[in-house]
Structure formats: structure tokens, C-alpha cells
Amino acid sequence: MAAVMSHRMLSKEDEAATGGDEVEVRREDQDKINKFSRLHRRETVLEEDLKTKQKDKEDLEEVSNELELADEEEKVPYKIGDAFVSLPVSEVQELLSSSTEKIDEEVAKLEESLSQVREEMEQLKVALYARFGRSINLET
């Protein structure tokens, strides 16, 4: 733990260099720092959601590929809610296709949100680094 802390703290030279130029933290600065923190948490949640959706999409594509090998006359179990229903292969393929399209839309929305969050974080980084220089660490 101490090794991790030493990487985040300023070196003696950096501390001496910034010590003379102590910058007062104004209310608006603190608001920007807080907003950056909230955006960083949101970014983390969005990244996790995106990974989950991409995994779901891969799983659906894998099932679709497996169904191409199945006999058209055969009925296969398809999960609807908590229950499995036996449906013809063609109907299951249609349902999987619509589910894949829905996930694609959700992934696109998540990527757009993530892009907006990162853009806003970059703007805050520029403003805060301009004000505080090396005395603030916003690297995520």
C-alpha cells in the first residue's frame, strides 16, 4: 500500500516547486473537481455496462451460429423470462436476430454516452490543470 501511495505523491522537488505558488481552491474549482469525480464514476459504470452488452451480443451470435446447424423441423428451447419454450428453429432465429439488433442499439447508446462523458472529463481536465498545474492529479 505504501508503494502505491508513493507514486501518487509529489516528489520533494515537485513539492518545493509548487509550494511557493499555493493556489487557493475556490468554490467553482471544487465544483469542477466534484463533477470530474462523478463523471469518472459514471465512466466506470458505462464501461462495465458496455462490456456486459458486448458479451451478451457475442453469446447471441454464438447461439445463432449453432442454430444454423440444427434441423429446420426441430424444436429448440428458447428462454422467455424465467421459462423455456420449445419453438421452431426459424422462429428462434428471428427472435435472436431481433435481440441482437436491440443489443446493437443499446451498445451504440452506451458508446455515445461514454464518448460524451470522456469529452466532458477532458474539458474539466484542461480547466483544472490550467488552474492547478502539477499540484492536482486527474489521471484515471
Side-chain angles (χ1 to χ4, degrees):
M1 183 75 170
V4 172
M5 294 293 267
S6 66
H7 287 304
R8 303 205 103 177
M9 295 172 34
L10 294 174
S11 67
K12 295 244 186 250
E13 297 82 28
D14 290 338
E15 193 173 328
T18 59
D21 309 353
E22 194 72 26
V23 179
E24 180 183 338
V25 178
R26 302 174 303 204
R27 174 72 180 163
E28 65 187 63
D29 298 329
Q30 188 62 52
D31 290 344
K32 287 179 182 177
I33 292 167
N34 294 344
K35 185 173 185 175
F36 183 88
S37 178
R38 286 190 306 274
L39 288 170
H40 180 258
R41 280 194 307 272
R42 180 155 163 66
E43 177 189 37
T44 304
V45 169
L46 287 171
E47 286 173 343
E48 289 172 7
D49 290 348
L50 188 58
K51 284 180 187 175
T52 301
K53 292 293 180 192
Q54 289 170 335
K55 173 75 170 101
D56 291 348
K57 182 181 174 185
E58 287 175 21
D59 292 345
L60 286 175
E61 289 172 348
E62 187 176 317
V63 169
S64 292
N65 291 338
E66 289 292 322
L67 281 179
E68 289 177 9
L69 303 174
D71 183 18
E72 287 292 325
E73 313 293 309
E74 191 178 341
K75 289 194 174 206
V76 293
Y78 184 79
K79 186 175 182 181
I80 299 177
D82 290 337
F84 284 89
V85 180
S86 291
L87 298 172
V89 170
S90 59
E91 193 174 332
V92 171
Q93 286 174 327
E94 289 175 24
L95 290 169
L96 288 173
S97 176
S98 67
S99 293
T100 302
E101 288 174 12
K102 182 180 175 193
I103 286 180
D104 284 339
E105 292 171 8
E106 292 171 358
V107 165
K109 287 178 185 175
L110 285 171
E111 287 174 340
E112 176 65 27
S113 295
L114 193 56
S115 174
Q116 290 173 351
V117 165
R118 287 180 174 157
E119 185 177 312
E120 198 169 346
M121 285 174 67
E122 274 306 310
Q123 292 171 357
L124 288 170
K125 271 186 184 182
V126 168
L128 290 168
Y129 277 131
R131 173 119 170 94
F132 295 105
R134 295 175 64 155
S135 61
I136 191 168
N137 181 9
L138 300 172
E139 299 309 312
T140 56

